Amino acid sequence: MKLRKVTAASAVVLALALSATACGGDKKDNDSGGSGGGGKIKIGIKFDQPGLGLQKPDGTYAGFDVDVATYVAKQLGYSPDKIEWVQTKSADRENALARGDVKFIAATYSITDERKQKVDFAGPYLLAHQDLLVKAGSKIAKGDDLNGKNLCSVTGSTSAQNVQKSIAPKANLRENSGYSECIAALQSGAVDAVTTDDSILAGFAAQDKYKGQFKLAGLKLSNENYGIGVKKGDSATVDKINDALKKMVSDGSWQKAVDANFGPANYKNEPAPTIGNIVK
């Protein structure tokens, strides 16, 4: 009789333990990091950059950065349905990583010495160049032509800083929260030019509603090495992402993503960069 009582008590303890384990397992689905195996991963991208990171009307996402991030996530153990896309605007990228809002960011994130003080980078995975987007009939042909003109860029971008420091210090710089607002201002005549990376500008110019209205000046005002931002000190994730990027280039997936996203805009992209090699 005493033996049966002990056995029954043990069964209750075992049942409670199993129940607690099952409840604890749900936490993994909300994980922003980890190593796959059924959890989810949060990745920062832009939502308003055609050809790079765009949230479409149906709620899906498309663009080169999206394709790169999806490939990398798969190599880390996360299938596309386990990715939660998080909008990360230029001015908030460092904070998003520091807060742990995302595991990594692929959002036209140029690698700079200043940013490397706050975050770590994998890559680069694309070499772009700062350029100008102007109206098709514009006479702006070089950086000096911007002095006295109305120029638009995005708050927190390296492009705006570059213009103020060395390209056209007398330009009337207008900074908006997103490039969509800048493109609309260019179309209306409120600004004379928009400056950022040529890859971003090409994506906007290729949209059906803007076809034939704008042109790239083709100035190559700077080299922009796009990297994948990771929380400072997370060298293990940086190494894993670099391995994934190398594989993406070697198996042809990188070039396929370039052709699919930039081909329609006739964007003359640079060859795939060597991972770890920053072009000054």
Side-chain angles (χ1 to χ4, degrees):
M1 186 68 176
K2 185 180 294 185
L3 179 60
R4 285 197 297 271
K5 288 182 179 179
V6 172
T7 302
S10 299
V12 171
V13 171
L14 179 59
L16 290 173
L18 289 174
S19 176
T21 301
C23 292
D26 289 342
K27 292 181 180 179
K28 191 172 184 181
D29 287 338
N30 296 318
D31 184 22
S32 64
S35 57
K40 292 183 179 180
I41 185 170
K42 294 180 180 179
I43 302 175
I45 58 171
K46 296 289 183 66
F47 279 17
D48 63 346
Q49 291 182 353
L52 287 150
L54 182 69
Q55 184 181 40
K56 299 194 291 186
D58 63 1
T60 60
Y61 302 87
F64 183 69
D65 284 347
V66 174
D67 289 347
V68 169
T70 300
Y71 187 98
V72 168
K74 184 176 181 181
Q75 298 305 307
L76 296 181
Y78 298 91
S79 57
D81 63 309
K82 297 299 182 182
I83 297 174
E84 181 179 338
W85 301 108
V86 179
Q87 183 177 24
T88 50
K89 295 187 176 182
S90 296
D92 193 46
R93 288 177 295 202
E94 288 81 19
N95 291 331
L97 288 169
R99 292 191 301 261
D101 295 346
V102 293
K103 185 65 175 178
F104 64 81
I105 293 176
T108 59
Y109 205 177
S110 298
I111 302 172
T112 67
D113 290 337
E114 181 180 358
R115 287 172 177 165
K116 285 193 291 184
Q117 301 301 312
K118 301 177 182 179
V119 303
D120 287 337
F121 284 99
Y125 63 91
L126 183 71
L127 176 61
H129 304 284
Q130 184 179 350
D131 203 351
L132 302 176
L133 188 69
V134 296
K135 285 192 172 182
S138 174
K139 295 182 180 180
I140 295 176
K142 58 184 186 299
D144 288 347
D145 294 338
L146 292 172
N147 284 311
K149 301 292 186 180
N150 295 319
L151 177 67
C152 192
S153 192
V154 167
T155 304
S157 72
T158 55
S159 299
Q161 298 165 15
N162 193 29
V163 168
Q164 289 179 318
K165 289 179 180 178
S166 58
I167 296 173
K170 294 182 180 179
N172 302 314
L173 183 61
R174 169 176 170 177
E175 293 183 280
N176 286 331
S177 61
Y179 290 110
S180 296
E181 293 93 329
C182 283
I183 301 299
L186 178 62
Q187 185 183 39
S188 69
V191 299
D192 300 293
V194 177
T195 187
T196 187
D197 305 345
D198 50 9
S199 56
I200 298 172
L201 297 174
F204 277 105
Q207 287 186 290
D208 289 338
K209 61 182 177 180
Y210 295 135
K211 279 185 178 178
Q213 296 185 42
F214 308 131
K215 66 178 181 180
L216 284 167
L219 301 185
K220 293 189 176 182
L221 299 172
S222 69
N223 293 324
E224 304 296 335
N225 297 270
Y226 287 178
I228 293 181
V230 176
K231 188 174 183 178
K232 190 69 177 176
D234 191 357
S235 58
T237 298
V238 169
D239 291 342
K240 291 177 182 178
I241 293 176
N242 278 334
D243 288 342
L245 293 174
K246 291 175 183 177
K247 184 177 180 181
M248 187 177 187
V249 171
S250 65
D251 69 13
S253 298
W254 184 91
Q255 189 59 53
K256 288 180 180 178
V258 168
D259 294 341
N261 293 292
F262 298 134
N266 295 316
Y267 171 62
K268 307 300 181 184
N269 67 282
E270 298 282 1
T274 301
I275 307 304
N277 181 37
I278 307 299
V279 180
K280 297 296 186 180

